[in-house]
Amino acid sequence: MLVILKRDNEEISREAAQLVAGAVRKKPALTLGLATGGTMTGVYKHLVQFHKQGLLDFSQVVTFNLDEYLGLAATHPQSFHYFMHEHFFQHVNVDPRNIHIPDGTVRGNFEQYCATYEDAIRKAGGIDLQILGIGRNGHIGFNEPTSSLGSRTRLKVLSQETIDDNAKFFAPSEESPRCAITMGIGTILEAKKIILLATGAAKATAVAKSIEGPIASAVSASALQLHPEVTFIVDEQAASQLTQRDYYRRVLEMTALLTPERMS
Ligand code: F6R
């Protein structure tokens, strides 16, 4: 596990975008796992900039988003389809046929739908690089506390904390979603490389538990400790409860010196 400590959201976003850009340049037909949410907007901003400057070509990239709210159509401004289009897809040259986002309007046989999503990931050769944010409760995707660490893509009931966090984005007259379709923790752990970004004091407890706590279903992101190629990129506030910050800095320096390919 690598822990990269940065000053603020801007530095985190730039670092993550550079890692994604490096991965796309190394493998133009990269399969990229994507997340939404406030933490991600800066990353997409930088990736869009690289593309507009002619420095990054997404024409062969295949994308899979982690999750979508159940009941929201792609046209709903709070849907993750809408978010991805607004912040990323409409500005870059990802082939629309290569974009995969769970369908929030699916009805009936959820299991079958979710198995099809998993199948599509497998057929694409698996996810090469997965980007993650983290919830205040330690969720990744919408794998809420007590999600099975082996879970696959499925329908998931949102925790009250997540519902409360999201309520501010919906009109007072509108009920915010209670469920989502999300990749499972088992699905996420199969990605070849994972980057998790966290910013702000509200994430400090979740970050500390995920990196330094025991692996537990109560903190979904702690399952990332099982992954051989995971990088946490964390700003000062989100890192404030980590006890081994000096050690992470030394590890990073030595890694850059001895195995620079691990850093790109
Ligand atoms: C979104 C997702 C979630 C978010 C997390 C953090 O696709 O999978 O796990 O990454 O809720 O959201 P923000 O960045 O808005 O704090």
Side-chain angles (χ1 to χ4, degrees):
M1 177 188 297
L2 273 182
V3 180
I4 302 181
L5 301 172
K6 292 284 174 190
R7 203 173 43 213
D8 53 21
N9 193 24
E10 172 57 22
E11 281 194 5
I12 281 180
S13 307
R14 203 171 335 114
E15 179 76 23
Q18 274 160 358
L19 288 175
V20 173
V24 174
R25 287 189 196 111
K26 235 184 249 171
K27 182 178 178 185
L30 193 81
T31 303
L32 190 53
L34 297 174
T36 59
T39 317
M40 295 300 144
T41 55
V43 181
Y44 294 128
K45 184 190 82 184
H46 284 290
L47 288 175
V48 167
Q49 255 169 27
F50 295 159
H51 173 71
K52 293 208 159 139
Q53 289 161 355
L55 302 173
L56 202 51
D57 172 27
F58 292 97
S59 60
Q60 296 179 61
V61 167
V62 178
T63 67
F64 285 90
N65 266 78
L66 283 166
D67 43 17
E68 178 60 284
Y69 290 121
L70 189 71
L72 296 198
T75 48
H76 191 292
Q78 297 311 329
S79 73
F80 291 166
H81 277 78
Y82 196 94
F83 176 101
M84 290 308 301
H85 187 69
E86 281 291 293
H87 291 279
F88 191 48
F89 292 133
Q90 70 168 327
H91 308 290
V92 296
N93 64 337
V94 179
D95 184 334
R97 289 169 302 182
N98 289 343
I99 296 173
H100 305 83
I101 307 176
D103 179 359
T105 65
V106 74
R107 290 269 173 279
N109 196 339
F110 295 112
E111 261 181 47
Q112 192 182 4
Y113 175 76
C114 293
T116 311
Y117 201 71
E118 292 265 338
D119 248 14
I121 296 175
R122 257 188 303 274
K123 281 190 187 125
I127 291 172
D128 293 306
L129 176 62
Q130 175 69 55
I131 310 173
L132 299 173
I134 184 170
R136 277 194 302 138
N137 61 8
H139 74 206
I140 46 177
F142 273 135
N143 294 286
E144 301 289 34
T146 72
S147 287
S148 158
L149 302 188
S151 51
R152 312 300 309 187
T153 302
R154 70 207 181 293
L155 183 66
K156 189 73 195 161
V157 176
L158 301 180
S159 69
Q160 194 55 49
E161 201 169 20
T162 299
I163 293 170
D164 293 345
D165 281 351
N166 293 336
K168 58 181 176 289
F169 300 115
F170 291 83
S173 56
E174 202 177 12
E175 202 187 322
S176 68
R178 298 293 191 253
C179 294
I181 294 173
T182 181
M183 279 187 207
I185 299 173
T187 321
I188 292 169
L189 288 178
E190 278 173 12
K192 292 173 192 101
K193 269 191 175 192
I194 298 176
I195 300 174
L196 184 146
L197 312 184
T199 177
K203 304 290 175 70
T205 305
V207 165
K209 285 183 176 169
S210 303
I211 298 176
E212 296 179 349
I215 297 174
S217 65
V219 185
S220 298
S222 67
L224 299 175
Q225 293 175 29
L226 295 166
H227 195 281
E229 287 227 43
V230 60
T231 302
F232 283 80
I233 311 178
V234 183
D235 78 358
E236 271 171 14
Q237 289 189 329
S240 60
Q241 290 181 34
L242 290 170
T243 62
Q244 309 283 327
R245 292 196 293 270
D246 288 344
Y247 178 65
Y248 303 140
R249 287 194 189 96
R250 280 199 292 121
V251 169
L252 201 65
E253 279 168 26
M254 295 305 278
T255 306
L257 207 64
L258 299 174
T259 53
E261 68 285 353
R262 177 80 175 80
M263 307 287 299
S264 61

